[in-house]
């Protein structure tokens, strides 16, 4: 099993450009999450999904959109990138259970100039 | 006030030492608790869950005090390979089992 994979690993964008980050998991997990991690801030939840076709906002959703068309994939989109979106983005997935462990992907390092 | 608070460290300890990390959380309705480990420039990985009765996994012991809203992690006989950032994580329940992460405590084990 590959677990949780993310593409791309690194990306540099100019302000105003758009891009999509792809997360894929092969563990048949129901729940998927997108986080961003900034120095001194800890991981913050951007959007999450409790199943195919459903998404919801997390703590810091502004400037991002998501889609979960297939159970195994969760896409994070930036329509018009801003320097404030420079961060490390982690995707995670978990089973639907009360004490579920979240498994993380290796992260995407995004720089917006 | 942050929902999950940790001392950022760094904690610099010699190999073989015992070190303890503490964490406090603000939501008394929080349902489950975890310690994650994050190596430099890597993703977080679950170290252990934290149960009310306390639990031990080899050199690692985690404890929970619900009355004080306090979680701890004890590492005995520290190894160089224990050098990492330790994240205190709280599941506040509800749909999607969303997790709230502390900012982490950095541990550096030296020779």
């Amino acid at each position: 099993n590959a677990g949780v994979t993310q593409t791309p690993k690194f990306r540099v964008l100019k302000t105003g450009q758009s891009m999509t980050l792809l997360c894929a998991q092969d563990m048949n997990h129901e729940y998927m999450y997108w986080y961003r991690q900034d120095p001194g801030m800890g991981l913050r939840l951007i959007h999450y999904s409790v199943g195919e076709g459903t998404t919801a906002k997390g703590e810091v959703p502004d400037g991002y959109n998501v889609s979960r068309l297939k159970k195994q994939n969760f896409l994070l989109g930036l329509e018009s990138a801003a320097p404030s979106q420079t961060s490390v983005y982690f995707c995670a997935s978990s089973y639907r259970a009360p004490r579920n462990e979240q498994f993380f992907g290796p992260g995407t390092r995004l720089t917006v100039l | 006030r942050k929902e999950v608070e940790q001392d950022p460290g760094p904690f610099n300890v010699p190999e073989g030492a015992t070190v303890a990390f503490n964490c406090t959380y603000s939501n008394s309705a929080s349902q489950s608790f975890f310690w994650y480990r994050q190596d430099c420039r890597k993703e977080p990985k679950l170290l252990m869950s934290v149960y009310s009765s306390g639990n031990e996994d080899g050199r690692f012991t985690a404890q929970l005090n619900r009355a004080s809203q306090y979680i701890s992690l004890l590492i005995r006989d520290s190894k160089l390979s224990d050098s990492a950032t330790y994240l205190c994580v709280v599941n506040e329940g509800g749909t999607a089992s969303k997790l709230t992460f502390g900012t982490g405590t950095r541990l550096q084990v030296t020779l």
Side-chain angles (χ1 to χ4, degrees), chain A residues 10 31 33 35 37 40-43 45 48 50 57 90 97-106 109, chain B residues 2 31-34 36 38 41-44 46 49-51 87 91 95-99 101-103:
Chain A
F10 304 93
Y31 295 169
Y33 312 82
Y35 294 90
Q37 187 174 35
M41 299 291 289
L43 281 101
L45 184 64
Y48 63 96
V50 298
K57 294 180 180 180
F90 288 104
R99 302 184 69 85
N100 52 310
E101 171 187 358
Q102 287 189 16
F103 294 83
F104 284 80
R109 294 185 174 276
Chain B
K2 291 182 182 176
Q31 296 189 355
S32 53
F33 309 88
F34 310 90
Y36 275 69
Q38 186 172 23
R41 302 178 76 83
K42 298 285 189 182
E43 72 272 24
L46 180 68
S49 299
V50 187
Y51 304 117
L87 307 176
N91 180 342
T95 58
S97 296
K98 290 179 284 183
L99 301 181
F101 289 77
T103 53

Side-chain angles (χ1 to χ4, degrees), chain B residues 12-52:
Chain B
N12 294 300
V13 302
E15 211 174 9
T18 295
V19 61
F21 304 139
N22 302 320
C23 166
T24 57
Y25 61 95
S26 60
N27 185 352
S28 59
S30 298
Q31 296 189 355
S32 53
F33 309 88
F34 310 90
W35 284 101
Y36 275 69
R37 170 191 169 131
Q38 186 172 23
D39 292 294
C40 187
R41 302 178 76 83
K42 298 285 189 182
E43 72 272 24
K45 293 183 179 178
L46 180 68
L47 178 66
M48 58 197 306
S49 299
V50 187
Y51 304 117
S52 297

Side-chain angles (χ1 to χ4, degrees), chain A residues 33-108:
Chain A
Y33 312 82
W34 274 107
Y35 294 90
R36 60 178 289 173
Q37 187 174 35
D38 302 292
M41 299 291 289
L43 281 101
R44 292 181 293 167
L45 184 64
I46 304 172
H47 285 280
Y48 63 96
S49 169
V50 298
E52 183 178 320
T54 70
T55 63
K57 294 180 180 180
E59 180 187 354
V60 288
D62 293 343
Y64 305 96
N65 56 74
V66 288
S67 64
R68 184 123 180 248
L69 299 179
K70 294 183 179 180
K71 185 177 184 180
Q72 63 268 33
N73 295 337
F74 195 27
L75 278 63
L76 178 71
L78 286 74
E79 289 186 348
S80 179
S84 60
Q85 294 178 303
T86 294
S87 188
V88 180
Y89 292 86
F90 288 104
C91 176
S93 68
S94 70
Y95 289 112
R96 180 174 34 189
R99 302 184 69 85
N100 52 310
E101 171 187 358
Q102 287 189 16
F103 294 83
F104 284 80
T108 295

